Amino acid sequence: MKTLALSVNEIIRFANHDFMNQLQLIKMNLDLGNVEEAKLIIERVSEQCKTVSNLNLLKLPKTIEWLQTLHWRYPAFQLIIKSNVTVPVDMKKDEQIVEYLEKTVIHVYDRLDPYTEQQLLIEINSDENGFKLTFDLKGNWEEHLFSHQELTNLTVKTYEQTNVSWKYVLSLEQE
């Protein structure tokens, strides 16, 4: 599979489409008298905005862009991103992080079972002790182990890699 790049126009179009969908869901629920469901949607959208804002504290422009456009470039994933960033990361690692993430997604994407929900949870933590990104994919795909070359100053620890679950943690210590 080839890496998918998006133009600024495409990103704005996708973002507007997603925003309109959220507004329609809220309106529909209010029309049906489902006030609590409408409130839950508003809370979920608010949390997504807070996550995006927190991601910007990483000071890794390519990684942030990759994370923010992942669900448009690879729509088969039901994506959840969580972040707790209090300390930025050394920008010299930016391309290396994105390259590793992109390779792992490409590795599995064409092998996904189209009849199974594919849930991808990405959790980012960055504090005075270091940077840690957890990639946790659940679904179904053809099992084919991912191998990678040693990364300079980045550590990858795989916890599980099967045809229904792939979890690894990419980390680096702060300098």
Side-chain angles (χ1 to χ4, degrees), residues 1-168:
M1 169 175 231
K2 187 178 179 196
T3 301
L4 303 172
L6 297 174
S7 69
V8 172
N9 183 51
E10 290 171 315
I11 291 170
I12 292 170
R13 194 181 68 211
F14 279 128
N16 283 337
H17 183 264
D18 288 352
F19 180 71
M20 290 304 296
N21 282 344
Q22 298 301 328
L23 287 178
Q24 288 294 344
L25 274 174
I26 293 166
K27 182 182 181 308
M28 178 188 72
N29 278 289
L30 290 173
D31 288 346
L32 293 171
N34 298 332
V35 176
E36 290 307 312
E37 183 64 27
K39 287 180 181 179
L40 288 173
I41 294 167
I42 292 168
E43 287 175 26
R44 187 182 72 235
V45 171
S46 176
E47 282 303 312
Q48 290 170 343
C49 290
K50 288 177 188 175
T51 297
V52 168
S53 180
N54 185 251
L55 282 175
N56 286 317
L57 298 175
L58 281 172
K59 304 288 187 213
L60 297 172
K62 292 178 183 192
T63 301
I64 294 165
E65 179 182 323
W66 189 89
L67 290 165
Q68 290 178 339
T69 62
L70 178 63
H71 67 286
W72 296 320
R73 293 180 304 118
Y74 301 103
F77 294 129
Q78 288 186 346
L79 180 65
I80 298 170
I81 297 176
K82 296 181 179 181
S83 70
N84 182 18
V85 178
T86 56
V87 175
V89 178
D90 181 358
M91 259 186 67
K92 292 180 270 184
K93 311 294 190 275
D94 197 15
E95 284 188 39
Q96 206 173 14
I97 293 168
V98 168
E99 184 180 321
Y100 190 84
L101 290 169
E102 186 71 14
K103 283 180 180 177
T104 59
V105 167
I106 288 172
H107 175 77
V108 74
Y109 199 76
D110 286 340
R111 294 178 175 90
L112 295 175
D113 177 356
Y115 303 108
T116 303
E117 240 177 47
Q118 317 295 335
Q119 296 178 331
L120 176 57
L121 169 63
I122 296 179
E123 292 183 83
I124 298 108
N125 290 291
S126 181
D127 57 26
E128 58 280 344
N129 297 320
F131 168 83
K132 183 170 86 169
L133 183 146
T134 303
F135 179 100
D136 191 0
L137 177 61
K138 304 258 188 275
N140 192 15
W141 52 88
E142 290 178 34
E143 184 177 357
H144 183 71
L145 292 179
F146 180 73
S147 60
H148 66 281
Q149 72 276 10
E150 219 31 59
L151 302 168
T152 310
N153 300 325
L154 284 177
T155 304
V156 177
K157 182 174 181 183
T158 301
Y159 290 92
E160 182 176 19
Q161 188 176 2
T162 67
N163 64 329
V164 295
S165 180
W166 187 8
K167 182 175 183 176
Y168 68 81

